[in-house]
Coordinates of all heavy atoms in Angstrom, one line a residue:
R77 N -155.2 14.7 22.4 CA -155.9 14.0 23.4 C -156.4 12.6 23.1 O -157.1 11.8 23.9 CB -157.1 14.8 24.0 CG -158.2 15.0 22.9 CD -159.3 15.9 23.5 NE -160.3 16.1 22.6 CZ -161.5 15.2 22.7 NH1 -161.5 14.3 23.6 NH2 -162.5 15.4 21.9
S78 N -156.0 12.1 21.9 CA -156.4 10.8 21.4 C -155.2 9.8 21.8 O -154.1 10.1 22.2 CB -156.7 10.7 20.0 OG -155.5 11.1 19.3
N79 N -155.5 8.4 21.8 CA -154.5 7.5 22.0 C -153.4 7.3 21.0 O -152.2 7.2 21.4 CB -155.3 6.1 22.0 CG -156.3 6.0 23.2 OD1 -156.0 6.7 24.3 ND2 -157.3 5.3 23.1
L80 N -153.9 7.6 19.8 CA -152.7 7.6 18.6 C -151.9 8.8 18.7 O -150.7 8.7 18.3 CB -153.5 7.3 17.3 CG -152.5 7.0 16.1 CD1 -151.7 5.8 16.5 CD2 -153.3 6.8 14.9
E81 N -152.4 10.0 19.1 CA -151.6 11.2 19.1 C -151.0 11.5 17.9 O -149.8 11.8 17.7 CB -150.6 11.2 20.3 CG -151.2 11.0 21.7 CD -150.3 11.1 22.9 OE1 -149.2 10.8 22.7 OE2 -150.7 11.7 23.8
L82 N -151.9 11.5 16.8 CA -151.4 11.8 15.5 C -152.3 12.9 14.9 O -153.6 12.8 14.9 CB -151.5 10.6 14.6 CG -151.1 10.8 13.1 CD1 -149.7 11.0 12.8 CD2 -151.6 9.4 12.3
T83 N -151.6 13.9 14.3 CA -152.4 14.9 13.6 C -152.0 15.0 12.2 O -150.8 15.2 11.8 CB -152.1 16.4 14.3 OG1 -152.6 16.3 15.6 CG2 -152.9 17.5 13.6
C84 N -153.0 15.1 11.3 CA -152.8 15.1 9.8 C -153.7 16.2 9.3 O -154.8 16.4 9.7 CB -153.2 13.8 9.2 SG -152.4 12.3 9.7
S85 N -153.2 16.8 8.4 CA -153.9 17.9 7.6 C -153.5 17.9 6.1 O -152.4 17.5 5.8 CB -153.6 19.3 8.3 OG -152.3 19.7 8.1
F86 N -154.5 18.4 5.3 CA -154.2 18.5 4.0 C -154.7 20.0 3.5 O -155.7 20.4 3.8 CB -155.2 17.5 3.2 CG -155.4 17.7 1.7 CD1 -154.1 17.3 1.0 CD2 -156.3 18.2 1.1 CE1 -154.2 17.4 -0.5 CE2 -156.4 18.4 -0.4 CZ -155.3 18.0 -1.1
T87 N -153.7 20.7 2.9 CA -153.8 22.1 2.6 C -153.7 22.5 1.2 O -152.5 22.8 0.9 CB -153.0 23.0 3.5 OG1 -153.0 22.5 4.9 CG2 -153.3 24.5 3.4
P88 N -154.7 22.6 0.3 CA -154.6 23.1 -1.0 C -154.3 24.7 -0.9 O -154.8 25.4 0.0 CB -155.9 22.9 -1.6 CG -156.6 21.8 -0.8 CD -156.1 22.2 0.6
F89 N -153.5 25.2 -1.8 CA -153.3 26.7 -1.7 C -153.0 27.2 -3.1 O -152.7 26.5 -4.1 CB -152.0 26.9 -0.8 CG -150.7 26.2 -1.2 CD1 -149.9 26.5 -2.2 CD2 -150.4 25.1 -0.4 CE1 -148.9 25.7 -2.7 CE2 -149.2 24.3 -0.8 CZ -148.5 24.7 -1.9
H90 N -153.1 28.6 -3.2 CA -152.6 29.2 -4.5 C -152.1 30.6 -4.2 O -152.7 31.3 -3.3 CB -154.0 29.5 -5.4 CG -153.7 30.2 -6.7 ND1 -153.3 29.7 -7.8 CD2 -154.0 31.6 -6.8 CE1 -153.1 30.5 -8.7 NE2 -153.5 31.8 -8.2
Y91 N -151.0 30.8 -4.8 CA -150.3 32.2 -4.6 C -150.1 32.8 -6.1 O -149.7 32.0 -7.0 CB -149.1 32.1 -3.8 CG -149.3 31.6 -2.5 CD1 -149.2 30.2 -2.2 CD2 -149.5 32.5 -1.5 CE1 -149.4 29.8 -0.8 CE2 -149.8 32.2 -0.2 CZ -149.7 30.7 0.3 OH -150.0 30.4 1.5
Q92 N -150.2 34.1 -6.1 CA -150.0 34.8 -7.3 C -149.6 36.2 -7.2 O -150.1 37.0 -6.3 CB -151.4 34.8 -8.2 CG -151.3 35.4 -9.4 CD -152.6 35.2 -10.3 OE1 -153.4 34.4 -9.9 NE2 -152.9 36.2 -11.2
S93 N -148.5 36.6 -7.8 CA -147.9 37.9 -7.8 C -148.8 38.8 -8.6 O -149.5 38.5 -9.5 CB -146.5 37.9 -8.4 OG -146.5 37.5 -9.7
F94 N -148.6 40.1 -8.3 CA -149.2 41.1 -9.1 C -148.2 42.3 -9.2 O -147.2 42.5 -8.5 CB -150.6 41.6 -8.6 CG -150.7 41.9 -7.2 CD1 -150.4 43.2 -6.8 CD2 -151.0 40.9 -6.2 CE1 -150.6 43.4 -5.5 CE2 -151.2 41.3 -5.0 CZ -150.9 42.5 -4.4
L95 N -148.5 43.2 -10.2 CA -147.5 44.2 -10.4 C -147.1 45.1 -9.3 O -148.1 45.5 -8.5 CB -148.0 45.1 -11.6 CG -148.0 44.5 -12.9 CD1 -148.6 45.4 -14.0 CD2 -146.8 44.0 -13.3
N96 N -146.0 45.4 -9.1 CA -145.5 46.4 -8.1 C -144.2 47.1 -8.5 O -143.5 46.4 -9.4 CB -145.3 45.8 -6.8 CG -144.2 44.7 -6.7 OD1 -144.1 43.7 -7.4 ND2 -143.0 45.0 -5.8
S97 N -143.9 48.1 -8.0 CA -142.8 49.0 -8.4 C -141.5 48.4 -8.2 O -140.5 48.6 -8.9 CB -142.8 50.4 -7.9 OG -142.7 50.3 -6.5
T98 N -141.3 47.4 -7.2 CA -140.1 46.9 -6.7 C -139.5 45.9 -7.7 O -138.3 45.9 -7.9 CB -140.2 46.2 -5.3 OG1 -141.2 45.2 -5.5 CG2 -140.6 47.3 -4.3
T99 N -140.3 44.9 -8.3 CA -139.9 44.1 -9.3 C -140.2 44.3 -10.7 O -139.9 43.4 -11.5 CB -140.3 42.6 -8.8 OG1 -141.6 42.6 -8.5 CG2 -139.5 42.3 -7.5
Q100 N -141.1 45.1 -11.0 CA -141.5 45.4 -12.3 C -140.4 45.5 -13.4 O -140.5 45.0 -14.4 CB -142.5 46.5 -12.5 CG -143.2 46.7 -13.7 CD -144.2 47.8 -13.8 OE1 -144.7 48.3 -12.6 NE2 -144.8 48.2 -14.8
N101 N -139.3 46.1 -12.9 CA -138.2 46.4 -13.8 C -137.0 45.6 -13.3 O -135.9 46.1 -13.6 CB -137.9 47.9 -13.9 CG -139.2 48.7 -14.1 OD1 -140.0 48.1 -15.0 ND2 -139.4 49.8 -13.4
Y102 N -137.1 44.6 -12.7 CA -136.0 43.8 -11.9 C -134.9 43.5 -13.0 O -133.8 43.6 -12.7 CB -136.5 42.5 -11.3 CG -135.6 41.8 -10.4 CD1 -135.3 42.1 -9.2 CD2 -134.8 40.7 -11.0 CE1 -134.4 41.4 -8.3 CE2 -133.8 40.1 -10.2 CZ -133.7 40.4 -9.0 OH -132.8 39.7 -8.1
F103 N -135.1 42.9 -14.1 CA -134.3 42.5 -15.1 C -133.7 43.6 -16.0 O -132.9 43.2 -16.9 CB -134.9 41.2 -15.9 CG -135.2 40.1 -15.1 CD1 -136.4 39.7 -14.8 CD2 -134.0 39.4 -14.4 CE1 -136.8 38.6 -14.1 CE2 -134.4 38.2 -13.6 CZ -135.7 37.9 -13.5
L104 N -134.2 44.7 -15.9 CA -133.8 45.9 -16.7 C -132.7 46.6 -16.0 O -132.5 46.5 -14.9 CB -134.9 46.7 -17.0 CG -136.1 46.2 -17.7 CD1 -137.2 47.2 -18.0 CD2 -135.8 45.6 -19.1
P105 N -131.8 47.4 -16.9 CA -130.8 48.2 -16.2 C -131.5 49.1 -15.2 O -132.7 49.5 -15.3 CB -130.4 49.1 -17.4 CG -130.6 48.2 -18.6 CD -131.9 47.5 -18.3
K106 N -130.8 49.5 -14.2 CA -131.2 50.2 -13.0 C -131.9 51.6 -13.5 O -131.4 52.3 -14.2 CB -130.2 50.4 -12.0 CG -130.7 51.0 -10.7 CD -129.8 50.9 -9.5 CE -130.3 51.3 -8.3 NZ -131.3 50.4 -7.8
H107 N -133.2 51.8 -12.8 CA -133.9 53.1 -13.0 C -134.6 53.1 -14.4 O -135.1 54.2 -14.9 CB -133.0 54.4 -12.9 CG -132.3 54.3 -11.5 ND1 -133.0 54.2 -10.3 CD2 -131.0 54.5 -11.2 CE1 -132.3 54.4 -9.3 NE2 -131.0 54.5 -9.9
K108 N -134.6 51.9 -15.1 CA -135.2 51.9 -16.4 C -136.7 51.1 -16.3 O -136.7 50.0 -15.7 CB -134.4 51.1 -17.4 CG -133.1 51.8 -17.7 CD -133.3 53.1 -18.7 CE -132.1 53.6 -19.0 NZ -132.2 54.8 -20.0
S109 N -137.6 51.7 -16.8 CA -139.0 51.1 -16.9 C -139.1 50.4 -18.3 O -140.0 49.5 -18.4 CB -140.1 52.1 -16.6 OG -140.1 53.0 -17.8
H110 N -138.3 50.8 -19.2 CA -138.3 50.0 -20.5 C -136.9 50.3 -21.2 O -136.1 51.2 -20.5 CB -139.4 50.4 -21.4 CG -139.3 52.0 -21.8 ND1 -139.9 52.9 -21.0 CD2 -138.7 52.6 -22.8 CE1 -139.6 54.2 -21.5 NE2 -138.9 53.9 -22.6
I111 N -136.5 49.6 -22.1 CA -135.4 49.7 -22.8 C -135.5 50.1 -24.3 O -136.6 49.7 -24.8 CB -134.4 48.5 -22.6 CG1 -135.1 47.2 -23.3 CG2 -134.0 48.2 -21.3 CD1 -134.1 46.1 -23.4
T112 N -134.9 51.0 -24.8 CA -134.9 51.3 -26.3 C -133.9 50.5 -27.0 O -132.7 50.5 -26.6 CB -134.7 52.8 -26.5 OG1 -133.4 53.1 -26.0 CG2 -135.7 53.6 -25.7
I113 N -134.3 49.8 -28.1 CA -133.4 49.1 -28.9 C -133.3 49.8 -30.3 O -134.3 49.9 -31.0 CB -133.9 47.7 -29.1 CG1 -134.0 47.1 -27.7 CG2 -133.0 46.8 -30.0 CD1 -134.6 45.7 -27.7
V114 N -132.1 50.3 -30.6 CA -132.0 51.1 -31.7 C -130.7 50.8 -32.6 O -129.6 50.5 -32.1 CB -132.0 52.6 -31.4 CG1 -131.9 53.5 -32.6 CG2 -133.1 53.0 -30.6
G115 N -130.9 50.7 -33.9 CA -129.8 50.4 -34.8 C -129.0 51.6 -35.1 O -129.5 52.7 -35.0
D116 N -127.8 51.3 -35.7 CA -126.8 52.6 -36.1 C -127.5 53.5 -37.2 O -127.2 54.6 -37.3 CB -125.7 52.1 -36.6 CG -124.8 51.3 -35.4 OD1 -125.1 51.6 -34.3 OD2 -123.9 50.6 -35.7
Q117 N -128.4 52.9 -38.1 CA -129.0 53.6 -39.1 C -130.3 54.2 -38.9 O -131.0 54.8 -39.8 CB -129.1 52.8 -40.3 CG -127.7 52.4 -40.9 CD -127.8 51.3 -42.1 OE1 -128.9 51.3 -42.7 NE2 -126.7 50.8 -42.4
A118 N -130.8 54.2 -37.6 CA -131.9 54.9 -37.2 C -131.8 56.4 -37.1 O -130.7 56.9 -37.2 CB -132.6 54.3 -35.9
A119 N -132.8 57.0 -36.7 CA -132.7 58.6 -36.5 C -131.6 58.8 -35.5 O -131.4 58.2 -34.4 CB -134.1 59.1 -36.0
P120 N -130.8 60.0 -35.8 CA -129.6 60.4 -34.9 C -130.0 60.4 -33.5 O -129.3 60.1 -32.5 CB -129.1 61.5 -35.5 CG -129.5 61.4 -37.0 CD -130.7 60.7 -37.0
D121 N -131.1 61.2 -33.3 CA -131.6 61.5 -31.8 C -131.8 60.2 -31.1 O -131.6 60.0 -29.9 CB -132.9 62.4 -31.9 CG -132.6 63.8 -32.3 OD1 -131.4 64.1 -32.3 OD2 -133.4 64.5 -32.7
A122 N -132.5 59.2 -31.9 CA -132.7 58.0 -31.2 C -131.5 57.2 -30.8 O -131.4 56.4 -29.8 CB -133.7 57.2 -32.0
V123 N -130.4 57.2 -31.7 CA -129.2 56.6 -31.5 C -128.5 57.1 -30.3 O -128.0 56.3 -29.5 CB -128.3 56.7 -32.8 CG1 -126.9 56.1 -32.6 CG2 -129.0 56.0 -33.9
K124 N -128.5 58.4 -30.1 CA -127.9 59.0 -28.9 C -128.5 58.5 -27.5 O -127.8 58.4 -26.7 CB -127.9 60.5 -29.1 CG -127.1 61.1 -30.2 CD -127.3 62.7 -30.2 CE -126.4 63.2 -31.4 NZ -126.6 64.7 -31.5
K125 N -129.7 58.3 -27.6 CA -130.5 57.9 -26.4 C -130.8 56.4 -26.2 O -131.4 56.1 -25.2 CB -131.8 58.7 -26.3 CG -131.6 60.3 -26.3 CD -133.0 61.0 -26.3 CE -132.9 62.5 -26.4 NZ -134.2 63.1 -26.4
R126 N -130.3 55.6 -27.1 CA -130.6 54.2 -26.9 C -130.0 53.5 -25.7 O -128.9 54.0 -25.3 CB -130.2 53.6 -28.3 CG -128.7 53.4 -28.5 CD -128.3 52.8 -29.8 NE -127.0 52.9 -30.1 CZ -126.3 52.5 -31.2 NH1 -127.1 52.1 -32.2 NH2 -125.0 52.6 -31.4
D127 N -130.7 52.4 -25.4 CA -130.1 51.5 -24.4 C -129.3 50.4 -24.9 O -128.3 49.9 -24.4 CB -131.2 51.0 -23.4 CG -132.0 52.1 -22.7 OD1 -131.3 53.1 -22.1 OD2 -133.1 52.3 -22.9

Side-chain angles (χ1 to χ4, degrees):
R77 62 187 187 90
S78 61
N79 293 329
L80 189 57
E81 296 188 326
L82 175 69
T83 299
C84 300
S85 66
F86 174 74
T87 310
F89 54 77
H90 176 81
Y91 295 93
Q92 182 172 334
S93 67
F94 50 90
L95 290 179
N96 67 295
S97 58
T98 57
T99 52
Q100 184 172 351
N101 311 316
Y102 186 90
F103 295 114
L104 298 180
K106 193 167 181 64
H107 306 307
K108 294 286 185 179
S109 60
H110 63 272
I111 57 171
T112 57
I113 302 173
V114 181
D116 291 343
Q117 296 180 10
D121 289 342
V123 173
K124 290 180 181 179
K125 299 178 181 179
R126 69 183 172 189
D127 299 308

